[in-house]
Amino acid sequence: PIKKSQEMTFNREISGWIINILMLLVTIFLVIRRKNLGKNIQYFIIAMGLGTCIEFFNIFMRLRNPNYNSSFSYSIGVILFVFLFLLIYFYQILESKKLKKIQLYLIIVFLLNYAISVLLIKDFFFFFLFITNFVNTSLLLFSSVLLLNQTFNSNRIMHLKSYFPFWASVGLIIIYTGVLPLTIISSVADKSMNISIFYLFLAVFNTLGYSIILFGVFRATSKKLTENAF
């Protein structure tokens, strides 16, 4: 049992470092190339930067105290603010009134979900918030789909390689489409699957997703595209 616990901790730390380094690289190059990434990119940068800072803060705290509980910083910093800034980013770059209205409803549902969770879930800030995280992730995935729908029904489809929001959406979809089922499985991971496989899949999905976002950062141009739909 001790050996298994040590192996689990090692795999978690390795996968965590891979993901954190990628997040840091994405954040750095988002800032460096922000002028090429379109309007309202500041919301995406804030979300990525905040998420990265929280992850490295938690690493620092765990080094000082192996029993450190990161749930408090995660439940406020990530579950609330990172998701909120990503949802606002999608709201800002959606153009049609219909899509913006849908996205606004998603933001309202997000805020209600968080508020209700705080009020109803005992010790909300001190353990992993499965239901709240599940709802937030689903809302973010739906937001990404709205952006892709707008992209594929406009002239931007001819300039996908240089349109950063497209790559951001695809990267987030891969990250969270992979994380969502893994989050469900994690609650019974010791019983239903090898914990090492769990962290391996987590690292693979995150590596692929953040690599796609990073690719989009370098491919993006500041060229203004026509906004007329086909």
Side-chain angles (χ1 to χ4, degrees):
I2 295 176
K3 183 178 180 181
K4 181 178 180 181
S5 177
Q6 292 175 337
E7 180 184 354
M8 181 182 69
T9 301
F10 176 77
N11 291 333
R12 182 182 64 187
E13 293 300 326
I14 292 297
S15 62
W17 273 107
I18 292 173
I19 295 168
N20 293 339
I21 290 172
L22 277 172
M23 290 178 66
L24 180 61
L25 288 174
V26 169
T27 302
I28 291 173
F29 286 109
L30 279 170
V31 173
I32 293 174
R33 292 184 53 80
R34 62 189 181 279
K35 294 182 179 180
N36 296 316
L37 304 178
K39 295 180 179 179
N40 303 301
I41 190 60
Q42 66 270 22
Y43 296 106
F44 195 86
I45 293 175
I46 291 172
M48 289 299 305
L50 182 58
T52 303
C53 289
I54 290 170
E55 291 296 338
F56 278 97
F57 172 78
N58 288 336
I59 288 175
F60 174 75
M61 293 303 294
R62 279 196 294 269
L63 289 175
R64 295 188 61 185
N65 178 14
N67 297 318
Y68 168 73
N69 185 351
S70 61
S71 297
F72 183 79
S73 61
Y74 186 81
S75 61
I76 297 177
V78 177
I79 294 294
L80 177 58
F81 288 110
V82 171
F83 276 97
L84 180 59
F85 278 111
L86 287 175
L87 292 173
I88 292 174
Y89 172 71
F90 283 112
Y91 174 80
Q92 293 292 342
I93 59 179
L94 289 171
E95 293 157 0
S96 76
K97 291 182 179 180
K98 181 180 179 180
L99 293 181
K100 288 184 79 73
K101 188 175 183 179
I102 294 174
Q103 184 64 19
L104 180 60
Y105 287 147
L106 294 182
I107 294 175
I108 293 173
V109 170
F110 164 80
L111 293 173
L112 287 174
N113 174 55
Y114 190 85
I116 292 172
S117 297
V118 171
L119 293 173
L120 299 183
I121 299 178
K122 185 180 180 180
D123 297 326
F124 174 85
F125 298 105
F126 300 103
F127 66 94
F128 181 73
L129 315 167
F130 170 73
I131 296 178
T132 308
N133 192 56
F134 181 86
V135 174
N136 289 355
T137 301
S138 300
L139 293 174
L140 183 59
L141 288 174
F142 194 75
S143 299
S144 299
V145 171
L146 290 180
L147 189 279
L148 292 180
N149 176 72
Q150 171 178 279
T151 302
F152 289 124
N153 287 282
S154 71
N155 289 338
R156 288 194 179 92
I157 195 173
M158 297 184 294
H159 305 276
L160 289 180
K161 289 184 178 181
S162 60
Y163 185 50
F164 175 73
F166 167 76
W167 296 106
S169 297
V170 173
L172 290 174
I173 286 174
I174 290 175
I175 291 170
Y176 288 102
T177 298
V179 168
L180 200 58
L182 286 175
T183 300
I184 298 173
I185 295 172
S186 67
S187 61
V188 291
D190 288 326
K191 298 179 181 180
S192 65
M193 69 180 294
N194 188 299
I195 197 68
S196 297
I197 296 177
F198 168 76
Y199 286 117
L200 174 62
F201 280 134
L202 187 65
V204 168
F205 281 114
N206 277 272
T207 299
L208 182 58
Y210 285 118
S211 296
I212 288 174
I213 295 174
L214 195 59
F215 176 82
V217 169
F218 287 108
R219 292 292 303 181
T221 66
S222 58
K223 179 181 178 181
K224 187 174 181 179
L225 304 177
T226 59
E227 299 179 359
N228 297 325
F230 286 135

